[in-house]
Amino acid sequence: MQDDLTSFEEELAKYLNVKHVIGVADGTMAILLGLKAMNLTPGGEVILPSHTFVATAAAVKHAGLKPVLADCKEDHLLDHNDIEHRITEKTVAILPVQLNGRTCEMDKIQEIASKNSLKVAEDSCQALGSKFKDQFAGTFGSFGALSFYPSKTLGCFGDGGAIITSDSELYSKIIQLRDHGRGKNGLVTKWGFNSRLDNIQAAILKAKFSNYEFTIQTRRSLAKHYIRLLSDISEIVLPPLDDLYHFDVFQNFEIRAKNRDDLVDYLIENEIGTLKQWGGFCLHQFPDLNMNSDTPFCEELTKNFLMLPLNTTLTMEDIEHVCKTIKNFYKKT
Ligand SMILES: *Cc1c(COP(=O)(O)O)cnc(C)c1O
């Protein structure tokens, strides 16, 4: 916890226009420590989307809370219309996931939360720089969680994460939680964790962050090129492009594709790698974790969702090559 960490935290806080950024070991710990610091009623229910990384639900579980899954909508993000009927007297919070570099319709989610006296916290691990109605992902709820895992839009050379908050009480708790519960002068006042962001990772992140606007613009240009070239293929549903309210950073370019598995094989034959996010599963499909499974849109998603190559080493010609190959596949079938 030297100068590189402090100055990276300050820079990020300035960019996001929040009071505090706290570097931690990884994105999962960011969610866990944030939830711990919120002091929610033990055993309380937290509503989150089924289409997310298991880390979102695991953090809820390890914070002594119960993950309750809700469905997603056309943009693959938490469906605000599927939240209210899942609220019980045990519900304590809503945990939207700002997936694929896009931010949920946070005004609708916050409206539901305040109507039902619930807290909001954000898994914004995929959404640094993403905005809804000109406000950054991660700045809507009590806290936002960031991940700097190498495959994220801002990645370090290992694991890393951060918590975003403007709540000073939450901040002072998390500062202690990430460092063994220690306060100033080594006095330990609570059970804590070893969950610091390494100084060397912070130094790498600081250097990469100086170029972050360019990173975002590159990703957005590549995504727009995909959308231009693929929009006339009826077998494919594309992710939404910005509208009046959304500013996406395209952490991923996740489409829905007819005959997905055959398409994947055909693309591999043509030396194009794709990914099914998290192995092709949504959280309701892990019966051993005992979560609810009534999320039909997510169930459909897992049958046809697919991520096309998108990273800052790609050129417009690469995108054209991928699109041409996809077109050839559907011409044959
Ligand atoms: C990456 C990610 C996380 C966890 O981040 P780690 O740094 O790998 O712990 C949590 N939620 C989502 C949606 C993610 O994409």
Side-chain angles (χ1 to χ4, degrees), residues 30 46 65 80 94 106 123 132 201 205 218 257 275 279 286:
V46 178
L65 303 161
H80 51 267
I94 307 172
M106 291 307 296
D123 178 344
F132 177 70
Q201 299 296 357
L205 286 164
T218 305
L275 279 174
F286 301 135

Side-chain angles (χ1 to χ4, degrees), residues 47-303:
I47 297 171
L48 55 107
S50 181
H51 183 26
T52 183
F53 189 22
V54 69
T56 320
V60 169
K61 185 77 184 175
H62 293 312
L65 303 161
K66 184 183 170 195
V68 172
L69 305 177
D71 214 347
C72 292
K73 58 188 175 66
E74 282 293 318
D75 63 0
H76 301 193
L77 273 64
L78 177 62
D79 181 357
H80 51 267
N81 290 313
D82 194 53
I83 293 175
E84 254 180 322
H85 70 103
R86 299 182 189 274
I87 297 174
T88 70
E89 69 273 16
K90 286 193 166 166
T91 309
V92 290
I94 307 172
L95 182 51
V97 178
Q98 319 298 19
L99 197 72
N100 296 334
R102 185 177 175 85
T103 309
C104 293
E105 289 178 59
M106 291 307 296
D107 49 356
K108 305 241 173 62
I109 291 170
Q110 286 182 305
E111 200 181 301
I112 295 166
S114 63
K115 202 171 116 195
N116 294 279
S117 308
L118 302 175
K119 298 278 189 194
V120 174
E122 294 164 72
D123 178 344
S124 41
C125 285
Q126 292 196 357
L128 177 59
S130 170
K131 285 183 240 177
F132 177 70
K133 291 193 173 172
D134 273 335
Q135 190 179 337
F136 281 115
T139 67
F140 291 89
S142 299
F143 72 86
L146 294 177
S147 168
F148 307 122
Y149 183 74
S151 66
K152 310 287 172 163
T153 53
L154 181 66
C156 55
F157 290 177
D159 280 301
I163 298 160
I164 309 164
T165 187
S166 286
D167 180 333
S168 297
E169 209 177 304
L170 219 55
Y171 167 77
S172 44
K173 282 187 198 159
I174 295 167
I175 280 291
Q176 270 187 275
L177 282 175
R178 78 165 169 187
D179 186 34
H180 302 285
R182 288 188 284 200
K184 289 223 167 69
N185 309 322
L187 186 71
V188 176
T189 56
K190 48 169 68 73
W191 296 108
F193 298 83
N194 177 2
S195 183
R196 296 164 301 224
L197 176 64
D198 289 334
N199 207 55
I200 190 158
Q201 299 296 357
I204 291 162
L205 286 164
K206 206 180 142 184
K208 289 180 84 177
F209 187 60
S210 65
N211 205 27
Y212 194 60
E213 281 306 324
F214 179 74
T215 303
I216 292 178
Q217 287 316 323
T218 305
R219 301 190 81 94
R220 284 170 53 80
S221 307
L222 295 169
K224 279 182 192 168
H225 207 39
Y226 266 133
I227 290 173
R228 251 190 315 270
L229 296 174
L230 294 175
S231 57
D232 61 341
I233 304 183
S234 60
E235 290 92 344
I236 282 180
V237 182
L238 293 167
L241 193 53
D242 315 318
D243 52 30
L244 213 48
Y245 300 134
H246 291 89
F247 178 85
D248 296 7
V249 297
F250 291 98
Q251 158 72 59
N252 305 309
F253 194 83
E254 189 172 62
I255 64 167
R256 274 175 274 158
K258 203 175 157 195
N259 299 331
R260 187 223 16 221
D261 294 339
D262 292 339
L263 173 63
V264 169
D265 292 343
Y266 183 79
L267 290 175
I268 286 178
E269 280 166 31
N270 288 277
E271 300 184 313
I272 296 168
T274 55
L275 279 174
K276 288 180 268 181
Q277 195 152 209
W278 301 303
F281 290 103
C282 282
L283 300 192
H284 70 277
Q285 293 168 318
F286 301 135
D288 289 345
L289 300 186
N290 286 318
M291 291 183 282
N292 57 306
S293 61
D294 50 337
T295 52
F297 184 79
C298 286
E299 181 70 26
E300 273 310 301
L301 261 186
T302 60
K303 293 178 189 149

Side-chain angles (χ1 to χ4, degrees), residues 13-59:
K14 201 167 136 207
Y15 168 79
L16 293 166
N17 196 22
V18 292
K19 283 205 189 122
H20 310 287
V21 169
I22 309 141
V24 294
D26 53 61
T28 312
M29 286 305 290
I31 308 170
L32 174 56
L33 297 185
L35 289 171
K36 282 254 181 206
M38 283 172 77
N39 270 339
L40 299 162
T41 312
E45 295 174 358
V46 178
I47 297 171
L48 55 107
S50 181
H51 183 26
T52 183
F53 189 22
V54 69
T56 320

